[in-house]
Amino acid sequence: MDRCQEAYSEHLRRGGSPDTIPLEETDDEVFTRVRQWIKRVLDEAIDEISADRKLIDAAFNLSVLCVSHSGLIRATLGHLFNIDSSEISVPNASISIVEIKAGGCDGFIAKLVQPPDDSHMGPESYSR
């Protein structure tokens, strides 16, 4: 029996609901990991800019592609924009665009440029 099966069996033995998943991360735990990743990406970009004077002189923008499952995206958007994550729809294969800049109390400031959108999938998209 693997770790997840053991945790689920123990969860049920202790009277836990079969509808909940033991070992599941909370949105807060998910965002803690995401926040650390965002800070690491920003720090690396700042280090790169500082090492290359040409980048400092140019209007420097860094684009980062992050591919993830909808749960992490919902938790992240919820925390970044103070929205209940259960109210956020993230269709499969959707694209969300968030602009992040250094600053703020978390070390970065986020702006939602495009909420989760799957229109590129066409009218036959599964989420429609």
Side-chain angles (χ1 to χ4, degrees):
M1 188 179 295
D2 73 8
R3 179 174 171 246
C4 292
Q5 289 174 320
E6 288 174 13
Y8 188 69
S9 295
E10 179 63 23
H11 170 73
L12 293 176
R13 273 194 298 276
R14 292 182 178 197
S17 168
D19 297 330
T20 60
I21 302 171
L23 307 177
E24 180 180 38
E25 287 181 294
T26 65
D27 283 358
D28 289 339
E29 292 168 330
V30 169
F31 189 66
T32 295
R33 287 190 300 116
V34 171
R35 180 187 299 121
Q36 292 167 350
W37 177 78
I38 291 171
K39 287 180 180 179
R40 193 167 51 249
V41 169
L42 282 173
D43 288 346
E44 289 174 10
I46 290 168
D47 289 347
E48 186 175 327
I49 292 168
S50 298
D52 188 342
R53 183 68 194 162
K54 287 181 249 176
L55 293 176
I56 294 172
D57 293 338
F60 182 76
N61 287 311
L62 174 70
S63 295
V64 176
L65 171 66
C66 174
V67 178
S68 184
H69 59 85
S70 63
L72 186 138
I73 295 168
R74 271 194 308 276
T76 300
L77 293 176
H79 273 273
L80 288 175
F81 304 108
N82 199 27
I83 304 168
D84 182 344
S85 65
S86 66
E87 296 177 12
I88 301 171
S89 174
V90 180
N92 288 336
S94 63
I95 297 172
S96 306
I97 300 175
V98 178
E99 183 177 284
I100 296 180
K101 297 180 180 183
C105 60
D106 272 336
F108 57 87
I109 299 167
K111 173 184 173 188
L112 184 60
V113 176
Q114 176 181 303
D117 176 48
D118 67 348
S119 62
H120 62 282
M121 299 296 291
E124 302 302 316
S125 171
Y126 289 112
S127 67
R128 296 178 201 270

